[in-house]
Amino acid sequence: MASSTPLLTAILHRRTYYALSGASPIPDTRIQDIVKHAILHVPSAFNSQTTRVVVLLGDEHRRVWDVTAQVYEQQLAREKFASANKRFMGFRAGYGTILFYEDTDVIREFQAKFKTYEAKFPEWSDQTSGMHQFTIWTALEAEGLGVNLQHYNPLIDVRFQTEFNVPPTWSMKAQMVFGTPTEGPAVPDDKKEFKPVEERMKVYGAQ
């Protein structure tokens, strides 16, 4: 469905881009503004505001993937690491990385405060993390950047706490890589497959 509504159009064109350069069409201040806007305005259950992010640009972004490579080199056989390292160096070639975390101290605080829903707060925390990731991903691509989302935690968690001064109570959820696209999306628009909407959506009482 095409739409003239800016938000729906941005969602329509959000894609995964792996081929990225170390350049950005927008200034660092604009990237920070986008992330701040998401942090302030993306909702969370009971307004718990559990999401935490670390934005890394330039040399700090490249250090993310140097450290990740170091961690995985110690975990993988040589031939497997060679393949993984090609991916790490591809991410390193981008412009920036955003690390997404959830604050487990805050989650426990709300679990203690609302015992009826104690078991649900970790699930709701994951939901708000996903909303932050999607919002920032869509907004960055609307500005001309390409984005991909990675999940190399938990192997990198402890090392990142040291390297980037991350509190141990922050639980890592994802690593978002971005930069200027040098190729099209991983799956072109005309190749993306969709399961039938009728199998995924129910409507009652529509006029």
Side-chain angles (χ1 to χ4, degrees):
M1 178 187 73
S3 174
S4 59
T5 304
L7 175 60
L8 296 182
T9 300
I11 292 171
L12 177 69
H13 292 298
R14 184 213 55 79
R15 287 289 183 269
T16 294
Y17 291 85
Y18 290 117
L20 304 171
S21 76
S24 173
I26 58 175
D28 293 352
T29 52
R30 179 60 176 160
I31 294 169
Q32 293 175 71
D33 285 345
I34 288 170
V35 176
K36 288 176 183 177
H37 189 86
I39 291 293
L40 286 172
H41 300 297
V42 170
S44 57
F46 288 72
N47 197 31
S48 52
Q49 301 179 54
T50 50
T51 298
R52 307 288 183 264
V53 299
V54 179
V55 180
L56 301 122
L57 306 170
D59 288 343
E60 293 300 304
H61 152 74
R62 288 182 282 274
R63 189 155 67 95
V64 167
W65 298 104
D66 290 341
V67 171
T68 301
Q70 291 167 15
V71 171
Y72 271 79
E73 187 173 20
Q74 296 174 352
Q75 299 289 329
L76 300 178
R78 181 177 299 179
E79 62 277 9
K80 289 187 177 180
F81 173 70
S83 175
N85 196 45
K86 289 181 181 178
R87 294 195 297 274
F88 300 149
M89 294 304 100
F91 304 141
R92 187 183 190 276
Y95 187 77
T97 300
I98 301 171
L99 308 177
F100 289 86
Y101 293 87
E102 289 292 298
D103 192 331
T104 58
D105 272 352
V106 178
I107 295 169
R108 284 191 289 268
E109 175 188 330
F110 276 80
Q111 287 177 307
K113 189 181 298 184
F114 300 99
K115 284 292 187 179
T116 302
Y117 307 108
E118 181 177 6
K120 300 298 289 184
F121 276 102
E123 178 183 334
W124 292 336
S125 167
D126 285 341
Q127 290 172 1
T128 195
S129 179
M131 286 190 282
H132 280 81
Q133 293 166 37
F134 182 76
T135 298
I136 293 170
W137 187 341
T138 303
L140 290 176
E141 290 202 348
E143 298 278 353
L145 287 156
V147 179
N148 63 74
L149 192 67
Q150 302 303 315
H151 303 88
Y152 287 102
N153 47 300
L155 288 182
I156 60 176
D157 290 11
V158 174
R159 182 72 182 275
F160 274 37
Q161 288 172 12
T162 301
E163 294 286 340
F164 303 112
N165 194 29
V166 175
T169 56
W170 291 15
S171 174
M172 184 182 285
K173 299 299 179 181
Q175 308 87 48
M176 180 176 289
V177 185
F178 58 93
T180 298
T182 59
E183 297 178 6
V187 179
D189 289 353
D190 60 350
K191 299 294 184 181
K192 186 168 184 181
E193 298 180 357
F194 299 91
K195 292 183 179 180
V197 173
E198 294 77 14
E199 296 178 4
R200 303 159 64 191
M201 175 180 174
K202 296 182 183 293
V203 179
Y204 302 99
Q207 298 297 313

